[in-house]
Amino acid sequence: MNTVKTVLELRAAVARARSEGKRIGLTPTMGNLHSGHTALVTRAAQRADFVVATIFVNPLQFGPNEDLASYPRTLAADQEKLLQAGCNLLFTPSVEEMYPHGMGDQTIVSVPHLSEGLCGASRPGHFDGVATVVSKLFNMVQPDLAVFGEKDFQQLAVIRALVRDLNMPIQIIGEPTVRAADGLALSSRNGYLNEEQRAKAPALYRAISVIADAIRSGETHFDTLTGAAKRMLEGDGFRIDYLEVREANSLRPATAQDRDLVILVAAFLGTTRLIDNLHLTKE
Ligand code: PAF
């Protein structure tokens, strides 16, 4: 596995692979990789012949009071994991390489509606930052397919919409969330939790699982279900950002008639913001 830092080297390496007739798969990440990320690379390696991973902590998607500076950077360990997972090429650009004309003058890709509400409400500009950097990476690599985690459900919806709306010939693959044995969704931010918070954190997945079970049994009073779950989580010491049942494709608030649903939650334990979701289809 080669690691390159410039767009020029990246394009040259991808062009070589393409000239050999290889299908190109892309897995964009921000590094500090765990088994959730390596599952994305493994999936890309199953579906493509040449897998490009990227590690770039994208300043454009962080708010002024968020964890950009403290976001964990663990390149050597990440390289080892990517190699094991079947990655062929790693792109680790600097901020200057990604935004050579500065971020203030950068053209912004903005996906309306899907970027608003949920994480978009508490992280203004976040999805514009994601949509912009992902569009840039798509144009740099021009992959046949790209794999993203379903853990970031809203992000995946935003990326599917941008590819559709901008006519990018890229297949987007969503990969199921990888969980710890106790149910907690793997996330680089879990590393911020102290021992006591880590012990409490699986309650988030338990709460949305209880809601999913109730919906599967025919309950359609979603506000009652989410209200009870919020009270339970608050009792456990969480500060809820949102906990909602939405229609899974449009992400608009769910109605009793919707069949394809997603329960989405974001909550703080101390200063750490955790997100999770559960996608369910009603018979
Ligand atoms: O999910 C992430 O790690 C990031 O949002 C992504 C897609 C790599 C864009 O920076």
Side-chain angles (χ1 to χ4, degrees), residues 27-31 37 54 56-58 61 71 126 129-131 133-134 137 148-149 152 155 159:
T27 313
T29 81
M30 298 204 301
H37 296 107
T54 68
F56 179 62
V57 184
N58 173 33
Q61 69 187 73
Y71 200 85
H126 169 68
V130 170
V133 81
V134 168
L137 292 170
F148 294 88
D152 296 294
Q155 167 172 284
I159 292 167

Side-chain angles (χ1 to χ4, degrees), residues 15-52:
R16 260 197 308 278
R18 199 178 292 288
S19 73
E20 292 163 9
K22 292 184 172 158
R23 249 170 92 73
I24 313 295
L26 173 67
T27 313
T29 81
M30 298 204 301
N32 192 230
L33 305 181
H34 49 65
S35 342
H37 296 107
T38 48
L40 308 180
V41 177
T42 305
R43 174 74 61 222
Q46 283 166 356
R47 301 285 192 92
D49 311 303
F50 187 83
V51 177
V52 182

Side-chain angles (χ1 to χ4, degrees), residues 85-259:
C87 176
N88 301 104
L89 179 69
L90 170 61
F91 179 49
T92 58
S94 63
V95 173
E96 293 70 31
E97 184 68 15
M98 285 301 281
Y99 300 112
H101 308 289
M103 285 185 285
D105 285 339
Q106 170 66 45
T107 300
I108 296 297
V109 178
S110 187
V111 177
H113 306 303
L114 285 171
S115 298
E116 294 149 21
L118 303 169
C119 286
S122 42
R123 304 186 69 189
H126 169 68
F127 288 115
D128 288 359
V130 170
T132 302
V133 81
V134 168
S135 300
K136 285 169 73 79
L137 292 170
F138 282 174
N139 284 331
M140 290 168 186
V141 176
Q142 302 189 337
D144 297 282
L145 60 91
V147 189
F148 294 88
E150 283 177 358
K151 164 152 183 296
D152 296 294
F153 198 90
Q154 189 177 10
Q155 167 172 284
L156 183 56
V158 165
I159 292 167
R160 286 191 196 283
L162 87 83
V163 163
R164 178 198 65 203
D165 293 350
L166 299 178
N167 302 84
M168 295 183 178
I170 302 172
Q171 184 193 358
I172 303 299
I173 299 172
E175 183 64 16
T177 303
V178 178
R179 300 182 178 281
D182 59 10
L184 179 65
L186 297 193
S187 162
S188 300
R189 292 191 169 101
N190 293 350
Y192 298 147
L193 300 171
N194 65 29
E195 209 174 316
E196 191 190 338
Q197 292 166 335
R198 175 62 188 80
K200 284 183 177 170
L204 213 52
Y205 182 56
R206 281 200 297 276
I208 56 177
S209 302
V210 167
I211 297 176
D213 288 343
I215 295 175
R216 285 194 194 100
S217 319
E219 180 59 72
T220 53
H221 293 100
F222 303 136
D223 287 350
T224 313
L225 293 175
T226 53
K230 280 183 198 169
R231 282 191 296 280
M232 193 196 81
L233 287 168
E234 278 162 1
D236 274 349
F238 286 85
R239 185 162 58 80
I240 309 291
D241 182 354
Y242 62 77
L243 200 178
E244 293 192 37
V245 184
R246 297 277 179 119
E247 197 284 323
N249 299 296
S250 60
L251 293 187
R252 61 164 168 68
T255 67
Q257 285 72 43
D258 289 324
R259 291 277 165 269

